[in-house]
Amino acid sequence: MNYDIGDLIRLTGSFSDLAGTATDPTGITLSIRLPSGTITTLTYGVDASVYRLSTGFYYSDFAPTMEGLHYYRFAGTGAVTAAEEQNFYIKKRQTS
């Protein structure tokens, strides 16, 4: 997906057990890698910016400040050990 600086982007992650039933992991982290290579890791239950929408579904709203390709990864441990990665692109600003 392509976005602009200033857009608020919802980063989402979902978890299910081996039977496919939505399940909450015991621990959840969200790592965001900026185009500069800087990685920020947030932990559900510790960092207020990671939210549980419903069983097995989590999100964080992210406001990018840097152009380029961004990556994010939700990872669960304990009751569900799984990870989900996505990326998005922040377009270069147009100057007039």
Side-chain angles (χ1 to χ4, degrees):
M1 298 284 297
N2 290 326
Y3 298 97
D4 298 304
I5 288 179
D7 288 346
L8 188 62
I9 302 166
R10 179 150 291 181
L11 311 179
T12 61
S14 60
F15 300 92
S16 58
D17 62 17
L18 294 175
T21 303
T23 304
D24 291 325
T26 306
I28 297 168
T29 58
L30 166 61
S31 298
I32 303 167
R33 183 166 51 114
L34 303 179
S36 65
T38 302
I39 298 173
T40 300
T41 300
L42 305 169
T43 302
Y44 174 72
V46 175
D47 296 293
S49 59
V50 181
Y51 303 94
R52 180 180 179 267
L53 185 61
S54 62
T55 302
F57 296 93
Y58 295 81
Y59 74 94
S60 183
D61 292 330
F62 176 72
T65 59
M66 183 179 292
E67 300 164 347
L69 189 59
H70 293 63
Y71 293 89
Y72 71 95
R73 174 185 174 95
F74 273 93
T77 59
V80 176
T81 301
E84 180 177 348
E85 289 189 27
Q86 299 288 328
N87 63 60
F88 57 92
Y89 187 79
I90 303 302
K91 298 182 284 187
K92 185 173 183 173
R93 288 186 184 187
Q94 300 295 322
T95 57
S96 35

